[in-house]
Amino acid sequence: MARYTGPVCRLCRREGEKLFLKGSRCLTPKCSVERRGYPPGQHGRENQFRRGRASDYLLQLREKQKARRVYGVMERQFNRYFERASRQKGLTGYNLLATLERRLDNVVYRMGLADSRPQARQLVQHGHIMLNNRKTNIPSALVAPGDVVSVRPQSNRLTYFKDLRQNLDDRRVPRWLTLETTNLSGRVLHVPAREDIDISLNEQLIVEYYSR
């Protein structure tokens, strides 16, 4: 299974904003965007002052790359998501974001069972999460309305999940999901609407990128 294994803080600095790839660390002064708010690389600091007006292609490319990095999706898989979204009824950009939001690792993150999407992906890969009472280790599995996502009973005894219960009440779960803190399980109520997706993405630029 292909995945990015390099330093994730470089990805945030390249996009010029926080992508929250390290969870709570991104909210502290240790965040690399706070400490070094310029692109990575040998000439990142000096090039930030030399750039002129960004071309339309560059804006479209950067938006596509940002979406990929936020959800932890590789290029080929992202292309498949876009092709699938373009075949569905409605707005292609919204269809794409709704599909990405319905990934199992993203749902685990949205429910508050992980501090970041990479951590949620790891929880799924290590077999701690069940989908409809069946163990799954596929982070890209797409949930549907009515599906139940829960922590395996064997994993509930782990220190991580014991400590998690004490802090879950402070987390806000999107309205398209529910969460029961007692047994660490939740249900998918409906497909997320555009206003439920609180990521600073302009999906129209992604559509324009693939429409060239």
Coordinates of all heavy atoms in Angstrom, one line a residue, residues 102-143:
R102 N -15.8 10.4 3.0 CA -16.4 9.1 3.4 C -15.4 8.0 3.5 O -15.7 6.8 3.8 CB -17.5 8.7 2.4 CG -18.7 9.6 2.5 CD -19.9 9.0 1.7 NE -19.7 8.9 0.3 CZ -19.6 7.7 -0.4 NH1 -19.7 6.6 0.3 NH2 -19.4 7.7 -1.7
R103 N -14.1 8.3 3.4 CA -13.1 7.3 3.6 C -13.1 6.9 5.1 O -13.3 7.7 6.0 CB -11.7 7.9 3.3 CG -11.4 7.9 1.8 CD -10.1 8.6 1.5 NE -9.0 8.0 2.3 CZ -8.1 7.2 1.9 NH1 -8.2 6.8 0.6 NH2 -7.1 6.7 2.6
L104 N -12.8 5.6 5.4 CA -12.9 5.2 6.7 C -11.9 5.9 7.7 O -12.3 6.2 8.8 CB -12.7 3.6 6.8 CG -12.8 3.0 8.2 CD1 -14.1 3.2 8.8 CD2 -12.5 1.5 8.0
D105 N -10.7 6.1 7.2 CA -9.7 6.8 8.1 C -10.2 8.2 8.4 O -10.0 8.7 9.5 CB -8.3 6.7 7.4 CG -8.3 7.3 6.0 OD1 -9.4 7.7 5.5 OD2 -7.2 7.4 5.5
N106 N -10.8 8.9 7.4 CA -11.3 10.2 7.7 C -12.5 10.2 8.7 O -12.6 11.1 9.5 CB -11.7 10.9 6.4 CG -12.3 12.3 6.6 OD1 -11.5 13.2 6.9 ND2 -13.6 12.4 6.6
V107 N -13.3 9.2 8.6 CA -14.5 9.1 9.5 C -14.0 8.8 10.9 O -14.5 9.4 11.9 CB -15.4 8.0 9.0 CG1 -16.5 7.7 10.1 CG2 -16.1 8.3 7.7
V108 N -13.0 8.0 11.0 CA -12.4 7.7 12.4 C -11.8 9.0 12.9 O -12.0 9.3 14.1 CB -11.3 6.6 12.3 CG1 -10.5 6.5 13.6 CG2 -11.9 5.3 11.9
Y109 N -11.2 9.8 12.1 CA -10.6 11.1 12.6 C -11.8 12.1 12.9 O -11.7 12.8 13.9 CB -9.8 11.7 11.4 CG -9.4 13.2 11.6 CD1 -8.6 13.6 12.6 CD2 -10.0 14.1 10.8 CE1 -8.3 14.9 12.8 CE2 -9.7 15.5 11.0 CZ -8.9 15.9 12.0 OH -8.6 17.2 12.1
R110 N -12.8 12.1 12.1 CA -13.9 13.1 12.3 C -14.7 12.7 13.6 O -15.2 13.6 14.3 CB -14.9 13.0 11.2 CG -14.3 13.6 9.9 CD -14.1 15.1 10.0 NE -13.9 15.8 8.7 CZ -13.6 17.1 8.6 NH1 -13.5 17.8 9.7 NH2 -13.5 17.6 7.4
M111 N -14.7 11.4 13.9 CA -15.4 11.0 15.2 C -14.6 11.3 16.4 O -15.1 11.2 17.5 CB -15.7 9.5 15.1 CG -16.7 9.1 14.1 SD -16.8 7.3 13.9 CE -17.2 6.8 15.6
G112 N -13.3 11.7 16.2 CA -12.5 12.1 17.4 C -11.7 10.9 17.9 O -11.1 11.0 19.0
L113 N -11.7 9.8 17.2 CA -11.0 8.6 17.7 C -9.5 8.7 17.4 O -8.7 7.9 17.9 CB -11.5 7.3 17.1 CG -13.0 7.1 17.3 CD1 -13.4 5.8 16.6 CD2 -13.3 7.0 18.8
A114 N -9.0 9.7 16.7 CA -7.6 10.0 16.4 C -7.4 11.5 16.3 O -8.3 12.2 16.0 CB -7.2 9.3 15.1
D115 N -6.2 11.9 16.6 CA -5.8 13.3 16.6 C -5.6 13.8 15.2 O -5.6 15.0 14.9 CB -4.5 13.6 17.4 CG -4.8 13.6 18.9 OD1 -6.0 13.8 19.3 OD2 -3.9 13.3 19.7
S116 N -5.3 12.9 14.2 CA -5.0 13.3 12.9 C -5.4 12.2 11.9 O -5.6 11.1 12.3 CB -3.5 13.6 12.7 OG -2.7 12.5 12.9
R117 N -5.5 12.5 10.6 CA -5.8 11.5 9.7 C -4.8 10.4 9.5 O -5.1 9.2 9.4 CB -6.2 12.1 8.3 CG -7.5 12.9 8.3 CD -7.8 13.5 7.0 NE -9.0 14.3 7.0 CZ -9.1 15.5 7.4 NH1 -8.0 16.2 7.8 NH2 -10.3 16.2 7.4
P118 N -3.5 10.8 9.6 CA -2.4 9.7 9.6 C -2.6 8.8 10.7 O -2.4 7.6 10.6 CB -1.1 10.5 9.6 CG -1.4 11.8 8.9 CD -2.9 12.1 9.4
Q119 N -2.9 9.3 11.9 CA -3.1 8.4 13.1 C -4.3 7.6 12.9 O -4.3 6.4 13.2 CB -3.2 9.3 14.3 CG -3.2 8.4 15.6 CD -3.5 9.2 16.9 OE1 -4.2 10.2 16.8 NE2 -2.8 8.8 18.0
A120 N -5.4 8.1 12.3 CA -6.6 7.3 12.1 C -6.3 6.2 11.1 O -6.7 5.1 11.2 CB -7.7 8.2 11.6
R121 N -5.5 6.5 10.1 CA -5.1 5.5 9.1 C -4.3 4.4 9.7 O -4.6 3.2 9.4 CB -4.2 6.2 8.0 CG -3.7 5.2 6.9 CD -2.7 5.9 6.0 NE -2.3 5.1 4.9 CZ -2.7 5.2 3.7 NH1 -3.5 6.2 3.4 NH2 -2.2 4.4 2.7
Q122 N -3.5 4.7 10.7 CA -2.7 3.7 11.4 C -3.6 2.8 12.3 O -3.4 1.6 12.3 CB -1.6 4.3 12.2 CG -0.6 3.3 12.9 CD 0.5 4.0 13.6 OE1 0.2 4.9 14.5 NE2 1.7 3.7 13.3
L123 N -4.6 3.4 12.9 CA -5.5 2.7 13.8 C -6.3 1.6 12.9 O -6.5 0.5 13.3 CB -6.5 3.6 14.5 CG -5.9 4.5 15.6 CD1 -7.0 5.4 16.1 CD2 -5.4 3.6 16.7
V124 N -6.7 2.1 11.7 CA -7.4 1.1 10.8 C -6.5 0.0 10.3 O -6.8 -1.1 10.4 CB -8.0 1.9 9.6 CG1 -8.7 0.9 8.7 CG2 -9.0 2.9 10.1
Q125 N -5.3 0.4 9.9 CA -4.4 -0.6 9.4 C -4.0 -1.6 10.4 O -3.7 -2.8 10.1 CB -3.1 0.1 8.8 CG -3.3 0.8 7.5 CD -2.1 1.5 7.1 OE1 -1.3 2.1 7.9 NE2 -1.9 1.6 5.7
H126 N -3.9 -1.2 11.7 CA -3.5 -2.2 12.8 C -4.7 -3.0 13.3 O -4.6 -3.7 14.3 CB -2.9 -1.4 13.9 CG -1.5 -0.9 13.6 ND1 -0.7 -0.3 14.5 CD2 -0.8 -0.9 12.4 CE1 0.4 0.1 13.9 NE2 0.4 -0.3 12.7
G127 N -5.9 -2.8 12.7 CA -7.0 -3.7 13.0 C -7.8 -3.3 14.2 O -8.5 -4.1 14.8
H128 N -7.7 -2.0 14.7 CA -8.4 -1.6 15.9 C -9.9 -1.2 15.6 O -10.6 -0.9 16.5 CB -7.7 -0.4 16.6 CG -6.3 -0.8 17.0 ND1 -6.1 -1.8 18.0 CD2 -5.1 -0.3 16.7 CE1 -4.8 -1.9 18.2 NE2 -4.2 -1.0 17.5
I129 N -10.2 -1.0 14.3 CA -11.5 -0.4 13.9 C -12.4 -1.5 13.2 O -11.9 -2.3 12.5 CB -11.3 0.8 13.0 CG1 -10.4 1.8 13.7 CG2 -12.6 1.4 12.6 CD1 -11.0 2.4 15.0
M130 N -13.7 -1.5 13.5 CA -14.6 -2.3 12.9 C -15.6 -1.5 12.1 O -16.0 -0.4 12.5 CB -15.4 -3.2 13.9 CG -14.5 -4.2 14.6 SD -15.5 -5.4 15.5 CE -16.6 -4.4 16.5
L131 N -16.0 -2.0 11.0 CA -17.0 -1.4 10.1 C -18.2 -2.4 10.0 O -18.1 -3.5 9.5 CB -16.5 -1.1 8.7 CG -17.5 -0.5 7.7 CD1 -18.0 0.9 8.2 CD2 -16.8 -0.3 6.4
N132 N -19.4 -2.0 10.6 CA -20.5 -2.8 10.6 C -20.2 -4.1 11.3 O -20.6 -5.2 10.8 CB -21.1 -3.1 9.2 CG -21.6 -1.8 8.6 OD1 -22.2 -0.9 9.3 ND2 -21.5 -1.7 7.3
N133 N -19.5 -4.0 12.5 CA -19.2 -5.2 13.3 C -18.3 -6.2 12.7 O -18.2 -7.3 13.1 CB -20.5 -5.9 13.8 CG -21.3 -5.0 14.7 OD1 -20.8 -4.2 15.5 ND2 -22.6 -5.1 14.5
R134 N -17.5 -5.7 11.6 CA -16.6 -6.6 11.0 C -15.2 -5.9 11.0 O -15.1 -4.7 10.6 CB -17.0 -6.9 9.6 CG -18.3 -7.7 9.5 CD -18.6 -8.1 8.0 NE -17.5 -8.9 7.4 CZ -17.6 -9.4 6.2 NH1 -18.6 -9.1 5.4 NH2 -16.6 -10.1 5.7
K135 N -14.2 -6.6 11.4 CA -12.9 -6.0 11.4 C -12.4 -5.7 10.0 O -12.6 -6.5 9.1 CB -11.9 -7.0 12.1 CG -10.4 -6.5 12.1 CD -9.5 -7.6 12.6 CE -8.0 -7.2 12.4 NZ -7.1 -8.3 12.9
T136 N -11.8 -4.5 9.9 CA -11.3 -4.1 8.6 C -10.0 -3.4 8.8 O -9.8 -2.7 9.8 CB -12.3 -3.2 7.8 OG1 -11.7 -2.8 6.6 CG2 -12.6 -1.9 8.6
N137 N -9.1 -3.5 7.8 CA -7.8 -2.8 7.9 C -7.5 -2.0 6.6 O -6.4 -1.8 6.2 CB -6.6 -3.8 8.1 CG -6.5 -4.9 7.0 OD1 -7.4 -4.9 6.1 ND2 -5.6 -5.7 7.1
I138 N -8.6 -1.6 6.0 CA -8.6 -0.8 4.7 C -9.0 0.6 5.0 O -10.1 0.9 5.1 CB -9.5 -1.5 3.6 CG1 -9.1 -3.0 3.5 CG2 -9.4 -0.7 2.3 CD1 -10.0 -3.7 2.5
P139 N -8.0 1.5 5.1 CA -8.3 2.9 5.4 C -9.2 3.6 4.3 O -9.9 4.5 4.6 CB -7.0 3.6 5.5 CG -6.0 2.5 5.7 CD -6.5 1.3 5.0
S140 N -9.1 3.1 3.0 CA -9.8 3.7 1.9 C -11.2 3.2 1.8 O -11.9 3.7 0.8 CB -9.0 3.5 0.6 OG -8.9 2.1 0.3
A141 N -11.7 2.3 2.6 CA -13.0 1.8 2.5 C -14.0 3.0 2.7 O -13.8 3.8 3.6 CB -13.3 0.7 3.6
L142 N -15.0 3.0 1.8 CA -16.0 4.1 1.8 C -17.2 3.7 2.6 O -17.8 2.7 2.4 CB -16.4 4.5 0.4 CG -15.3 5.0 -0.5 CD1 -15.8 5.4 -1.9 CD2 -14.6 6.3 0.1
V143 N -17.6 4.6 3.6 CA -18.8 4.3 4.4 C -20.0 4.8 3.7 O -19.9 5.7 2.8 CB -18.6 4.9 5.8 CG1 -17.4 4.4 6.5 CG2 -18.6 6.5 5.7

